[in-house]
Amino acid sequence: MAAEFSAKSAFLLLGILLNLAFKTKAGSIVIYWGQDGREGTLTSTCASRKYGIVNIAFLSIFGNGQKPQINLAGHCDPSSNGCQKVSNGIRNCQNQGVKVMLSIGGGTSGYTLTSDAEARGVAEYLWNNFLGGRSNSRPLGDAILDGIDFDIEGGELHYVALATRLSELSRGGRKVYLTAAPQCPFPDDWLDDALATGPFDYVYIQFYNNRPCEYNTNNPKKFKDSWNQWTSSVPAQKFFVGLPASQQAAGSGYVGANILKSQVLPFVKGSSKYGGVMLWNKYHDDRNGYSSQIRDSV
């Protein structure tokens, strides 16, 4: 009787430990929303239960003496305060446990930082207009975002000062997450110094539009070497595999769902810093159903 009980107990304990081990490697899906009016509302995006983080894209104009400006494509007109209605969506997402970030930058030439002083000024603007500060003209309304995502693809190099000031402003209050979406060639041309300073929580590595480090079934080593270099060199908490959500979403780098599940995820989950998968973007994910195909494996 005692031996039978012991065997059953051991089997049960093993099952619990394996379940816990699996959960520690469970990641989340990050999606970019805001650049296509056909992708649905922020509320419907989070109601799908597919995503753990939504990046609102983009604050695409800032620095060089310019007034910062958001661009949410076909969703709303910020010049008439039309984007303040997004506040309801932000709160709806947060009430479901989804983090909502503002992504700054993007693939345009409308932003740059001319000095550390200007970078700190932009940080103050972000704090007062999107985070825990106060302003009479908050572009997305009175909802408080969870943080700022740095999708920097050009301009001058003063992002250490911007990230540092944001970290300073959030001390002692509500947690402000800082994330970054560098290109996969290491080191990143624009964010290397900022990433090295250590204030970033999550890093979404863009393994697309960068053939030297994209995943290729015929030569997976270049992807694996890039992933290992990023996760071992940058002091962030979690790293995500950044991919296009469909073949049409990027010039190159698309990885089929079955290949991702059978070849890519088993490898990246070997890292204690694995965080999940980042997808560009919501519209293409809707069209291709990519997140639905992979979410049980992420």
Side-chain angles (χ1 to χ4, degrees):
M1 186 71 169
E4 180 183 355
F5 176 79
S6 177
K8 287 182 177 179
S9 299
F11 183 78
L12 179 61
L13 179 60
L14 177 62
I16 292 172
L17 291 174
L18 287 173
N19 188 47
L20 287 172
F22 174 78
K23 286 183 177 180
T24 59
K25 289 300 182 183
S28 61
I29 297 176
V30 179
I31 197 74
Y32 280 84
W33 175 91
Q35 286 302 292
D36 198 306
R38 298 169 292 177
E39 65 197 339
T41 66
L42 196 56
T43 293
S44 65
T45 296
C46 295
S48 71
R49 304 285 183 176
K50 297 176 182 177
Y51 314 112
I53 299 174
V54 176
N55 292 328
I56 297 178
F58 291 104
L59 182 82
S60 56
I61 295 176
F62 61 86
N64 200 28
Q66 305 172 99
K67 179 182 178 180
Q69 184 174 318
I70 57 173
N71 176 357
L72 299 188
H75 287 284
C76 53
D77 179 9
S79 64
S80 61
N81 294 324
C83 296
Q84 291 184 338
K85 64 184 180 182
V86 177
S87 263
N88 289 331
I90 294 169
R91 281 189 288 265
N92 289 338
C93 289
Q94 291 170 334
N95 288 338
Q96 296 178 62
V98 179
K99 293 182 179 67
V100 185
M101 318 278 288
L102 174 67
S103 187
I104 65 172
T108 71
S109 58
Y111 58 90
T112 189
L113 295 171
T114 58
S115 67
D116 281 0
E118 184 172 62
R120 288 189 287 270
V122 171
E124 299 274 355
Y125 173 84
L126 293 171
W127 173 256
N128 288 322
N129 286 275
F130 299 99
L131 300 169
R134 293 187 178 183
S135 169
N136 293 325
S137 58
R138 292 173 69 95
L140 297 179
D142 58 1
I144 299 174
L145 291 166
D146 292 291
I148 301 296
D149 173 59
F150 289 54
D151 184 7
I152 305 302
E153 302 178 27
E156 297 299 321
L157 309 180
H158 295 281
Y159 292 99
V160 173
L162 177 54
T164 300
R165 184 58 182 146
L166 283 172
S167 295
E168 291 171 352
L169 289 167
S170 66
R171 285 175 188 164
R174 174 173 170 168
K175 166 70 175 175
V176 172
Y177 289 86
L178 296 184
T179 67
Q183 310 292 307
C184 59
F186 187 90
D188 184 76
D189 288 342
W190 294 279
L191 289 175
D192 181 49
D193 289 343
L195 289 166
T197 63
F200 288 88
D201 298 284
Y202 309 140
V203 175
Y204 317 128
I205 311 165
Q206 293 188 37
F207 288 104
Y208 54 94
N209 295 332
N210 288 287
R211 293 188 185 277
C213 40
E214 294 170 0
Y215 189 81
N216 185 316
T217 54
N218 296 320
N219 182 20
K221 185 176 184 299
K222 59 182 183 178
F223 167 85
K224 292 180 178 180
D225 288 346
S226 178
W227 172 264
N228 287 336
Q229 188 166 28
W230 277 102
T231 56
S232 63
S233 303
V234 174
Q237 294 178 20
K238 296 292 180 183
F239 292 80
F240 293 68
V241 180
L243 296 171
S246 73
Q247 289 184 323
Q248 293 73 37
S252 63
Y254 178 72
V255 177
N258 289 335
I259 293 175
L260 182 77
K261 291 187 288 186
S262 64
Q263 299 180 29
V264 178
L265 291 178
F267 168 74
V268 295
K269 284 187 175 184
S271 170
S272 61
K273 292 188 172 183
Y274 166 76
V277 174
M278 174 273 278
L279 296 177
W280 175 265
N281 59 16
K282 173 61 166 51
Y283 170 71
H284 289 285
D285 190 35
D286 286 344
R287 300 268 293 184
N288 193 32
Y290 196 78
S291 62
S292 297
Q293 298 174 61
I294 68 170
R295 61 178 173 177
D296 290 339
S297 301
V298 172

XYZ file of all heavy atoms in Angstrom, residues 66-153:
650
model
N 10.614 69.916 -33.839
C 9.244 69.701 -34.304
C 8.304 69.391 -33.133
O 8.721 68.823 -32.131
C 9.188 68.509 -35.264
C 10.113 68.600 -36.447
C 10.119 67.297 -37.235
O 9.451 67.177 -38.254
N 10.886 66.326 -36.760
N 7.046 69.744 -33.311
C 6.037 69.317 -32.355
C 5.766 67.828 -32.573
O 5.473 67.401 -33.685
C 4.741 70.107 -32.550
C 3.639 69.693 -31.591
C 2.351 70.474 -31.846
C 1.236 70.016 -30.905
N -0.022 70.755 -31.140
N 5.876 67.005 -31.527
C 5.627 65.567 -31.697
C 4.218 65.301 -32.213
O 3.265 66.001 -31.863
C 5.806 65.008 -30.281
C 6.720 65.986 -29.610
C 6.321 67.327 -30.162
N 4.099 64.289 -33.072
C 2.804 63.995 -33.680
C 2.639 62.504 -33.903
O 3.547 61.830 -34.393
C 2.681 64.733 -35.020
C 1.322 64.573 -35.687
C 1.202 65.429 -36.940
O 1.637 66.578 -36.950
N 0.628 64.877 -37.986
N 1.458 61.994 -33.530
C 1.155 60.592 -33.789
C 0.535 60.447 -35.175
O -0.029 61.385 -35.718
C 0.199 59.997 -32.723
C -1.101 60.798 -32.653
C 0.876 59.893 -31.373
C -2.149 60.162 -31.759
N 0.650 59.248 -35.721
C 0.033 58.916 -37.009
C -0.572 57.534 -36.885
O 0.147 56.535 -36.849
C 1.080 58.955 -38.124
C 0.512 58.532 -39.469
O -0.659 58.148 -39.583
N 1.338 58.594 -40.503
N -1.893 57.472 -36.800
C -2.597 56.196 -36.712
C -3.331 55.887 -38.008
O -4.419 55.299 -38.005
C -3.558 56.183 -35.520
C -2.924 56.364 -34.143
C -3.951 56.131 -33.047
C -1.736 55.441 -33.950
N -2.717 56.280 -39.120
C -3.206 55.946 -40.452
C -4.708 56.206 -40.573
O -5.175 57.317 -40.341
C -2.849 54.502 -40.790
N -5.504 55.205 -40.917
C -6.923 55.406 -41.165
C -7.804 55.365 -39.933
O -9.030 55.416 -40.055
N -7.222 55.287 -38.746
C -8.041 55.139 -37.535
C -8.641 56.445 -37.037
O -9.773 56.467 -36.555
C -7.198 54.519 -36.418
C -6.911 53.072 -36.610
N -7.844 52.095 -36.378
C -5.799 52.432 -37.041
C -7.320 50.908 -36.637
N -6.080 51.090 -37.047
N -7.878 57.540 -37.113
C -8.346 58.792 -36.535
C -7.441 59.930 -36.985
O -6.336 59.705 -37.482
C -8.370 58.712 -35.002
S -6.787 58.191 -34.268
N -7.920 61.156 -36.772
C -7.179 62.347 -37.155
C -6.692 63.064 -35.901
O -7.483 63.692 -35.189
C -8.082 63.277 -37.978
C -7.367 64.554 -38.394
O -6.137 64.647 -38.205
O -8.044 65.464 -38.919
N -5.389 62.996 -35.600
C -4.895 63.624 -34.376
C -4.977 65.150 -34.397
O -5.054 65.786 -33.344
C -3.435 63.160 -34.315
C -3.072 62.849 -35.729
C -4.321 62.329 -36.360
N -4.998 65.752 -35.594
C -5.013 67.213 -35.672
C -6.305 67.812 -35.129
O -6.337 68.976 -34.715
C -4.806 67.666 -37.122
O -5.885 67.249 -37.942
N -7.373 67.017 -35.100
C -8.652 67.487 -34.561
C -8.997 66.799 -33.242
O -10.167 66.764 -32.845
C -9.768 67.213 -35.582
O -9.887 65.817 -35.845
N -7.970 66.233 -32.595
C -8.134 65.473 -31.343
C -8.993 64.225 -31.533
O -9.558 63.693 -30.574
C -8.741 66.355 -30.242
C -7.813 67.474 -29.828
O -6.592 67.298 -29.788
N -8.364 68.637 -29.529
N -9.075 63.757 -32.773
C -9.908 62.598 -33.065
C -9.392 61.296 -32.504
O -10.144 60.312 -32.430
N -8.114 61.266 -32.105
C -7.537 60.030 -31.587
C -7.714 59.876 -30.078
O -7.319 58.852 -29.511
C -6.053 59.936 -31.948
S -5.756 59.832 -33.730
N -8.299 60.876 -29.441
C -8.535 60.764 -28.002
C -9.530 59.655 -27.678
O -9.538 59.128 -26.567
C -9.007 62.112 -27.439
C -7.915 63.171 -27.452
C -8.336 64.474 -26.799
O -9.528 64.772 -26.682
N -7.365 65.259 -26.368
N -10.335 59.275 -28.654
C -11.287 58.187 -28.451
C -10.592 56.847 -28.223
O -11.215 55.901 -27.725
C -12.210 58.071 -29.655
C -11.500 57.687 -30.954
C -12.437 57.666 -32.139
C -11.711 57.269 -33.436
N -12.615 57.285 -34.610
N -9.320 56.766 -28.571
C -8.578 55.520 -28.390
C -8.417 55.187 -26.906
O -8.147 54.049 -26.540
C -7.199 55.608 -29.102
C -6.359 54.357 -28.873
C -7.400 55.819 -30.598
N -8.601 56.166 -26.043
C -8.498 55.931 -24.592
C -9.375 54.784 -24.126
O -8.977 53.975 -23.277
C -8.858 57.198 -23.808
O -7.709 57.916 -23.442
N -10.583 54.719 -24.653
C -11.489 53.638 -24.244
C -10.907 52.279 -24.604
O -10.984 51.328 -23.821
C -12.863 53.820 -24.904
C -13.634 54.993 -24.333
O -13.458 55.347 -23.168
N -14.484 55.604 -25.147
N -10.328 52.175 -25.784
C -9.705 50.928 -26.195
C -8.513 50.565 -25.327
O -8.315 49.394 -24.987
N -7.721 51.572 -24.983
C -6.563 51.323 -24.127
C -7.010 50.745 -22.788
O -6.473 49.738 -22.312
C -5.767 52.632 -23.907
C -5.140 53.098 -25.227
C -4.685 52.435 -22.843
C -4.558 54.497 -25.169
N -8.014 51.365 -22.187
C -8.502 50.877 -20.895
C -9.131 49.484 -21.017
O -8.953 48.635 -20.138
C -9.487 51.873 -20.298
C -8.812 53.078 -19.648
C -9.813 53.924 -18.878
N -10.682 54.657 -19.790
C -10.458 55.918 -20.171
N -9.399 56.563 -19.731
N -11.290 56.528 -20.997
N -9.868 49.259 -22.092
C -10.470 47.934 -22.292
C -9.393 46.854 -22.384
O -9.551 45.759 -21.836
C -11.325 47.933 -23.563
C -12.605 48.733 -23.410
O -13.073 48.957 -22.300
N -13.172 49.170 -24.525
N -8.324 47.154 -23.086
C -7.210 46.196 -23.196
C -6.569 45.951 -21.838
O -6.336 44.802 -21.443
C -6.162 46.725 -24.179
S -6.665 46.694 -25.919
N -6.270 47.005 -21.133
C -5.608 46.877 -19.840
C -6.478 46.119 -18.845
O -5.958 45.355 -18.022
C -5.246 48.271 -19.301
C -4.150 48.943 -20.118
C -3.947 50.406 -19.745
O -4.866 51.080 -19.262
N -2.751 50.917 -19.979
N -7.781 46.296 -18.924
C -8.685 45.563 -18.039
C -8.674 44.071 -18.310
O -9.089 43.277 -17.452
C -10.116 46.106 -18.175
C -10.281 47.484 -17.555
O -9.495 47.881 -16.698
N -11.282 48.216 -18.000
N -8.208 43.680 -19.501
C -8.087 42.267 -19.848
C -6.666 41.743 -19.634
O -6.352 40.618 -20.027
C -8.499 42.062 -21.313
C -9.957 42.375 -21.588
C -10.311 42.208 -23.059
O -10.222 41.126 -23.620
N -10.720 43.292 -23.697
N -5.823 42.572 -19.026
C -4.463 42.143 -18.732
C -3.486 42.338 -19.865
O -2.357 41.828 -19.813
N -3.881 43.074 -20.903
C -3.006 43.328 -22.051
C -2.276 44.649 -21.836
O -2.910 45.676 -21.544
C -3.811 43.384 -23.359
C -2.886 43.675 -24.543
C -4.569 42.084 -23.575
N -0.960 44.642 -21.978
C -0.181 45.875 -21.897
C -0.311 46.630 -23.217
O -0.253 46.039 -24.288
C 1.293 45.572 -21.607
C 1.571 44.975 -20.247
C 3.066 44.775 -20.056
C 3.380 44.190 -18.672
N 2.871 42.814 -18.536
N -0.466 47.941 -23.105
C -0.583 48.783 -24.294
C 0.532 49.826 -24.259
O 0.653 50.596 -23.301
C -1.953 49.480 -24.371
C -2.067 50.249 -25.684
C -3.086 48.466 -24.251
N 1.337 49.851 -25.314
C 2.497 50.721 -25.400
C 2.324 51.707 -26.550
O 1.573 51.450 -27.502
C 3.759 49.887 -25.662
C 3.858 48.595 -24.877
S 4.465 48.825 -23.212
C 6.181 49.180 -23.563
N 3.044 52.810 -26.495
C 3.155 53.699 -27.638
C 4.496 53.445 -28.303
O 5.543 53.534 -27.662
C 3.070 55.169 -27.210
C 3.335 56.174 -28.337
C 2.216 56.121 -29.381
C 3.487 57.590 -27.796
N 4.468 53.135 -29.591
C 5.706 52.928 -30.324
C 6.116 54.233 -30.995
O 5.317 54.864 -31.693
C 5.522 51.826 -31.380
O 6.755 51.515 -31.990
N 7.364 54.620 -30.780
C 7.880 55.852 -31.389
C 8.846 55.488 -32.512
O 9.580 54.508 -32.432
C 8.568 56.762 -30.349
C 9.827 56.102 -29.775
C 7.600 57.121 -29.225
C 10.664 57.035 -28.880
N 8.809 56.285 -33.573
C 9.722 56.054 -34.691
C 9.014 55.457 -35.881
O 8.098 56.044 -36.449
N 9.468 54.257 -36.279
C 8.936 53.604 -37.464
C 9.810 53.859 -38.677
O 10.856 54.507 -38.599
N 9.373 53.362 -39.809
C 10.184 53.435 -41.022
C 9.998 54.709 -41.805
O 9.851 54.678 -43.033
N 9.988 55.852 -41.135
C 9.867 57.147 -41.805
C 11.068 58.019 -41.448
O 11.891 57.662 -40.606
C 8.573 57.873 -41.378
O 8.703 58.310 -40.014
C 7.362 56.965 -41.497
N 11.131 59.173 -42.068
C 12.256 60.084 -41.812
C 11.820 61.306 -41.019
O 12.522 62.322 -40.999
C 12.863 60.535 -43.142
O 11.880 61.184 -43.949
N 10.692 61.214 -40.328
C 10.144 62.381 -39.649
C 10.650 62.609 -38.239
O 10.142 63.488 -37.544
N 11.642 61.849 -37.816
C 12.112 62.002 -36.442
C 13.632 61.966 -36.370
O 14.307 61.290 -37.143
C 11.522 60.921 -35.545
C 11.839 59.500 -35.978
C 12.970 58.839 -35.508
C 11.005 58.811 -36.862
C 13.260 57.536 -35.898
C 11.285 57.518 -37.267
C 12.411 56.880 -36.776
O 12.696 55.596 -37.170
N 14.141 62.700 -35.412
C 15.563 62.673 -35.085
C 15.731 63.427 -33.776
O 14.839 64.167 -33.359
C 16.419 63.322 -36.189
O 17.811 63.078 -35.922
C 16.185 64.826 -36.255
N 16.826 63.209 -33.109
C 17.122 63.918 -31.868
C 18.452 64.641 -32.056
O 19.473 64.004 -32.342
C 17.197 62.951 -30.681
C 15.897 62.233 -30.320
C 16.154 61.146 -29.282
C 14.864 63.222 -29.804
N 18.443 65.936 -31.903
C 19.633 66.722 -32.214
C 20.593 66.857 -31.042
O 21.740 67.260 -31.226
C 19.232 68.127 -32.690
O 18.439 68.766 -31.673
C 18.412 68.037 -33.974
N 20.128 66.534 -29.828
C 20.985 66.665 -28.645
C 20.398 65.868 -27.497
O 19.229 65.467 -27.532
C 21.104 68.139 -28.230
O 19.846 68.617 -27.767
N 21.193 65.645 -26.461
C 20.682 64.980 -25.267
C 19.592 65.822 -24.600
O 18.620 65.284 -24.055
C 21.820 64.736 -24.268
C 22.674 63.531 -24.648
O 22.379 62.887 -25.678
O 23.643 63.238 -23.917
N 19.763 67.141 -24.647
C 18.766 68.026 -24.041
C 17.420 67.879 -24.755
O 16.368 67.813 -24.102
C 19.243 69.473 -24.099
N 17.450 67.808 -26.072
C 16.195 67.625 -26.807
C 15.591 66.259 -26.505
O 14.369 66.119 -26.383
C 16.414 67.775 -28.312
C 15.108 67.674 -29.089
C 15.245 68.007 -30.554
O 16.004 67.293 -31.255
O 14.599 68.976 -31.001
N 16.455 65.245 -26.378
C 15.969 63.900 -26.051
C 15.245 63.898 -24.716
O 14.181 63.276 -24.567
C 17.136 62.920 -26.029
N 15.804 64.597 -23.738
C 15.140 64.672 -22.426
C 13.822 65.431 -22.528
O 12.844 65.088 -21.849
C 16.083 65.335 -21.409
C 17.249 64.433 -20.993
C 18.023 65.026 -19.826
N 18.831 66.168 -20.241
C 20.093 66.091 -20.664
N 20.694 64.908 -20.752
N 20.765 67.173 -21.013
N 13.767 66.423 -23.401
C 12.519 67.147 -23.617
C 11.442 66.262 -24.236
O 10.271 66.343 -23.863
N 11.837 65.403 -25.167
C 10.890 64.465 -25.762
C 10.398 63.479 -24.704
O 9.220 63.119 -24.670
C 11.525 63.726 -26.960
C 10.620 62.599 -27.448
C 11.799 64.702 -28.091
N 11.304 63.057 -23.819
C 10.905 62.157 -22.729
C 9.857 62.823 -21.847
O 8.874 62.182 -21.447
C 12.126 61.755 -21.906
N 10.061 64.087 -21.534
C 9.077 64.830 -20.726
C 7.731 64.902 -21.451
O 6.667 64.747 -20.836
C 9.594 66.240 -20.449
C 10.899 66.315 -19.683
C 10.718 66.263 -18.186
O 9.557 66.272 -17.731
O 11.740 66.221 -17.475
N 7.782 65.121 -22.751
C 6.551 65.166 -23.538
C 5.823 63.825 -23.474
O 4.597 63.775 -23.266
C 6.868 65.534 -24.985
C 5.664 65.433 -25.895
C 4.758 66.482 -26.009
C 5.409 64.260 -26.612
C 3.630 66.380 -26.815
C 4.283 64.151 -27.420
C 3.397 65.206 -27.515
O 2.285 65.090 -28.298
N 6.550 62.740 -23.671
C 5.935 61.410 -23.620
C 5.327 61.148 -22.253
O 4.218 60.608 -22.135
C 6.985 60.346 -23.949
C 7.517 60.346 -25.383
C 8.709 59.390 -25.499
C 6.426 59.962 -26.368
N 6.044 61.522 -21.206
C 5.562 61.312 -19.841
C 4.260 62.071 -19.595
O 3.289 61.523 -19.070
C 6.633 61.753 -18.848
C 6.182 61.732 -17.422
C 5.841 62.806 -16.648
C 5.999 60.572 -16.593
N 5.464 62.393 -15.387
C 5.542 61.027 -15.325
C 6.169 59.211 -16.789
C 5.259 60.166 -14.277
C 5.893 58.346 -15.740
C 5.449 58.812 -14.498
N 4.220 63.342 -20.003
C 3.064 64.180 -19.706
C 1.869 63.901 -20.611
O 0.723 64.113 -20.210
C 3.444 65.657 -19.823
C 4.328 66.109 -18.678
O 4.139 65.686 -17.538
N 5.306 66.947 -18.974
N 2.119 63.404 -21.816
C 1.044 63.264 -22.788
C 0.536 61.843 -22.990
O -0.552 61.650 -23.545
C 1.471 63.849 -24.134
C 1.488 65.361 -24.134
O 0.469 66.002 -24.357
N 2.656 65.926 -23.846
N 1.328 60.842 -22.539
C 0.914 59.454 -22.737
C 1.057 58.575 -21.488
O 0.438 57.519 -21.412
C 1.726 58.816 -23.868
C 1.556 59.487 -25.197
C 2.501 60.398 -25.645
C 0.447 59.229 -25.986
C 2.347 61.032 -26.871
C 0.281 59.860 -27.216
C 1.239 60.766 -27.655
N 1.848 59.028 -20.546
C 2.135 58.198 -19.374
C 1.550 58.840 -18.118
O 0.419 59.291 -18.127
C 3.651 57.971 -19.271
C 4.265 57.259 -20.501
C 5.791 57.298 -20.449
C 3.770 55.826 -20.605
N 2.305 58.857 -17.024
C 1.749 59.267 -15.740
C 1.742 60.742 -15.450
O 1.304 61.163 -14.366
N 2.211 61.574 -16.388
C 2.211 63.014 -16.173
C 0.879 63.651 -16.525
O -0.135 62.960 -16.714
N 0.897 64.964 -16.632
C -0.348 65.688 -16.909
C -0.170 66.657 -18.061
O 0.866 67.300 -18.199
C -0.808 66.457 -15.658
C -1.242 65.550 -14.516
C -1.832 66.355 -13.376
N -2.306 65.498 -12.293
C -2.908 65.942 -11.207
N -3.098 67.253 -11.044
N -3.314 65.106 -10.269
N -1.213 66.757 -18.875
C -1.225 67.689 -19.998
C -2.674 67.949 -20.378
O -3.539 67.092 -20.206
C -0.464 67.088 -21.188
O -0.673 67.862 -22.357
N -2.935 69.127 -20.906
C -4.288 69.462 -21.357
C -4.557 68.989 -22.779
O -5.661 69.176 -23.292
C -4.503 70.982 -21.276
C -4.508 71.483 -19.843
O -4.982 70.790 -18.947
N -3.978 72.679 -19.637
N -3.577 68.407 -23.404
C -3.746 68.027 -24.817
C -3.183 66.637 -25.085
O -2.351 66.453 -25.968
C -3.040 69.048 -25.714
O -1.658 69.135 -25.388
N -3.632 65.658 -24.310
C -3.138 64.290 -24.493
C -3.723 63.707 -25.786
O -4.942 63.543 -25.904
C -3.508 63.435 -23.279
C -2.761 63.850 -21.997
C -3.271 63.106 -20.784
N -2.934 61.696 -20.792
C -1.868 61.169 -20.174
N -1.017 61.954 -19.524
N -1.662 59.871 -20.209
N -2.864 63.356 -26.772
C -3.354 62.931 -28.092
C -4.232 61.685 -28.073
O -5.116 61.545 -28.928
C -2.059 62.670 -28.869
C -1.041 63.539 -28.198
C -1.402 63.518 -26.752
N -3.987 60.767 -27.126
C -4.789 59.542 -27.046
C -5.771 59.581 -25.874
O -6.263 58.546 -25.438
C -3.878 58.314 -26.913
C -2.942 58.043 -28.094
C -2.084 56.809 -27.834
C -3.721 57.872 -29.398
N -6.039 60.776 -25.384
C -6.980 60.911 -24.283
C -6.318 60.689 -22.938
O -5.094 60.681 -22.804
N -7.145 60.471 -21.914
C -6.627 60.455 -20.549
C -6.162 59.079 -20.065
O -5.694 58.940 -18.945
C -7.674 61.006 -19.571
C -8.984 60.218 -19.603
O -9.084 59.237 -20.373
O -9.910 60.587 -18.856
N -6.273 58.056 -20.874
C -5.770 56.737 -20.477
C -4.256 56.788 -20.326
O -3.563 57.501 -21.059
C -6.155 55.680 -21.507
N -3.751 56.034 -19.368
C -2.304 55.995 -19.113
C -1.729 54.723 -19.733
O -2.102 53.609 -19.352
C -2.015 56.023 -17.601
C -2.553 57.319 -16.988
C -0.518 55.894 -17.336
C -2.443 57.382 -15.478
N -0.842 54.896 -20.688
C -0.230 53.753 -21.353
C 0.752 53.041 -20.431
O 1.214 53.597 -19.432
C 0.483 54.206 -22.627
C -0.446 54.686 -23.751
C 0.347 55.426 -24.815
C -1.177 53.513 -24.371
N 1.090 51.815 -20.795
C 1.990 51.008 -19.955
C 3.457 51.287 -20.222
O 4.315 50.895 -19.413
C 1.711 49.520 -20.181
C 0.349 49.116 -19.650
O 0.182 49.117 -18.413
O -0.556 48.829 -20.453
N 3.765 51.939 -21.340
C 5.169 52.211 -21.607
C 5.395 52.705 -23.018
O 4.472 53.024 -23.762
N 6.685 52.744 -23.384
C 7.116 53.267 -24.676
C 7.970 52.220 -25.386
O 8.879 51.628 -24.790
C 7.951 54.563 -24.504
C 7.130 55.638 -23.772
C 8.431 55.070 -25.858
C 5.902 56.121 -24.511
N 7.661 52.019 -26.657
C 8.429 51.108 -27.515
C 9.286 51.939 -28.473
O 8.788 52.857 -29.114
C 7.470 50.213 -28.304
C 8.194 49.369 -29.341
O 9.075 48.585 -28.951
O 7.874 49.498 -30.539
N 10.572 51.592 -28.569
C 11.508 52.310 -29.435
C 11.680 51.523 -30.739
O 12.434 50.556 -30.794
C 12.869 52.449 -28.760
C 12.930 53.402 -27.601
C 12.053 53.302 -26.523
C 13.890 54.410 -27.561
C 12.128 54.171 -25.445
C 13.972 55.290 -26.490
C 13.083 55.168 -25.429
N 10.979 51.946 -31.798
C 11.170 51.346 -33.124
C 11.943 52.357 -33.964
O 11.389 53.007 -34.848
C 9.826 50.996 -33.758
C 9.985 50.285 -35.097
O 11.136 49.953 -35.459
O 8.985 50.085 -35.797
N 13.215 52.481 -33.667
C 14.044 53.537 -34.245
C 14.823 53.002 -35.437
O 15.597 52.055 -35.318
C 15.013 54.114 -33.182
C 14.217 54.586 -31.951
C 15.840 55.244 -33.783
C 13.148 55.626 -32.239
N 14.628 53.658 -36.585
C 15.255 53.197 -37.817
C 15.970 54.319 -38.550
O 16.211 54.244 -39.758
C 14.205 52.531 -38.719
C 13.504 51.354 -38.037
C 12.428 50.715 -38.897
O 12.523 50.795 -40.133
O 11.490 50.126 -38.322
